[in-house]
């Protein structure tokens, strides 16, 4: 298996929760790019959005992703919008095996509608916002993904097992191709 596992997907897809479990399973270090940004700035993401706007946040995110993608032996949970910038997509693709945790807007909404710590959800119609974000970002998630794993009502352990199985299959294919 390649050094790093990188998780992408819309907010609420389970990147942090699943990422922690994958790190434990493979004995890798876990990073959440949003948490790294919060630790470095000393303020929560909504405050960064409030003070610097989305552009300021995306600049910080780009720097953090570039750094983290250079590490080895990690699981990285990215922010849902990290794929918006081509530089991030390139860093993610070269940084490890990218797993797209795919879920419907409706399912995501059911998971996060009470969370006030998501600046892009502070709208009159958060479900429609999620639909719009998914429509705008889906092609980018698919572009960077080595694996696509649906996340719905399955238990975290099931999703972690599925990802582990698919990563092992992918590694077998890569190894077989290198031998031929």
């Amino acid at each position: 298996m390649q050094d790093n596992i990188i998780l992408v997907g819309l907010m609420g897809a389970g990147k942090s929760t699943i990422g922690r479990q994958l790190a434990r399973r493979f004995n890798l270090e876990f990073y959440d790019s949003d948490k790294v940004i919060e630790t470095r700035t000393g303020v929560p993401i909504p405050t960064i959005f409030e003070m610097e706007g989305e552009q300021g946040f995306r600049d910080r995110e780009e720097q953090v992703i570039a750094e983290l993608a250079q590490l080895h032996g990690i699981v990285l949970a990215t922010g849902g919008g990290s794929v918006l910038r081509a530089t991030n997509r390139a860093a993610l693709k070269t940084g490890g095996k990218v797993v797209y945790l795919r879920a419907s807007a409706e399912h995501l909404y059911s998971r996060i509608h009470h969370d006030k710590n998501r600046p892009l959800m502070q709208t009159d119609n958060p479900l429609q916002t999620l639909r719009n974000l998914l429509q705008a970002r889906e092609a980018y998630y698919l572009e960077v993904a080595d694996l696509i794993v649906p996340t719905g009502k399955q238990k975290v352990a099931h999703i972690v097992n599925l990802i582990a199985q698919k990563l092992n299959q992918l590694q077998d294919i890569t190894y077989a191709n290198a031998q031929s």
Side-chain angles (χ1 to χ4, degrees):
M1 185 178 65
Q2 189 163 341
D3 255 347
N4 298 332
I5 302 168
I6 300 170
L7 303 175
V8 300
L10 212 54
M11 64 185 92
K15 299 179 298 288
S16 296
T17 302
I18 291 166
R20 280 188 208 88
Q21 295 299 318
L22 281 170
R24 202 170 291 131
R25 168 112 177 226
F26 289 111
N27 198 27
L28 302 172
E29 198 164 347
F30 175 72
Y31 290 90
D32 179 318
S33 61
D34 284 351
K35 295 298 179 206
V36 171
I37 293 166
E38 287 182 336
T39 299
R40 288 185 183 180
T41 61
V43 297
I45 300 295
T47 302
I48 298 170
F49 266 74
E50 193 177 302
M51 295 175 72
E52 300 179 2
E54 185 173 357
Q55 180 71 30
F57 171 75
R58 297 289 172 213
D59 291 343
R60 291 178 183 278
E61 179 179 60
E62 184 175 333
Q63 179 182 1
V64 165
I65 285 176
E67 291 173 26
L68 294 175
Q70 299 282 324
L71 299 177
H72 295 281
I74 70 165
V75 174
L76 172 59
T78 62
S82 62
V83 296
L84 293 172
R85 290 192 174 176
T87 52
N88 289 346
R89 293 193 303 274
L92 296 173
K93 286 168 73 168
T94 59
K97 293 295 181 203
V98 180
V99 179
Y100 171 26
L101 299 180
R102 191 182 212 178
S104 71
E106 290 74 17
H107 190 79
L108 296 169
Y109 178 75
S110 73
R111 289 184 182 172
I112 66 170
H113 71 278
H114 292 302
D115 189 346
K116 300 298 181 208
N117 203 32
R118 298 183 185 274
L120 296 179
M121 289 292 89
Q122 306 312 308
T123 66
D124 290 337
N125 189 343
L127 176 57
Q128 188 57 47
T129 300
L130 277 170
R131 288 180 182 135
N132 295 344
L133 288 171
L134 189 57
Q135 182 178 10
R137 296 174 181 177
E138 175 87 357
Y140 297 132
Y141 295 138
L142 294 172
E143 175 188 327
V144 299
D146 293 299
L147 300 173
I148 300 166
V149 177
T151 63
K153 294 189 186 265
Q154 307 95 321
K155 299 227 180 284
V156 171
H158 173 78
I159 295 169
V160 169
N161 287 337
L162 184 60
I163 292 170
Q165 177 185 8
K166 287 184 173 203
L167 285 171
N168 286 332
Q169 290 171 349
L170 196 58
Q171 181 62 26
D172 289 345
I173 291 168
T174 303
Y175 180 75
N177 287 341
Q179 296 295 309
S180 27

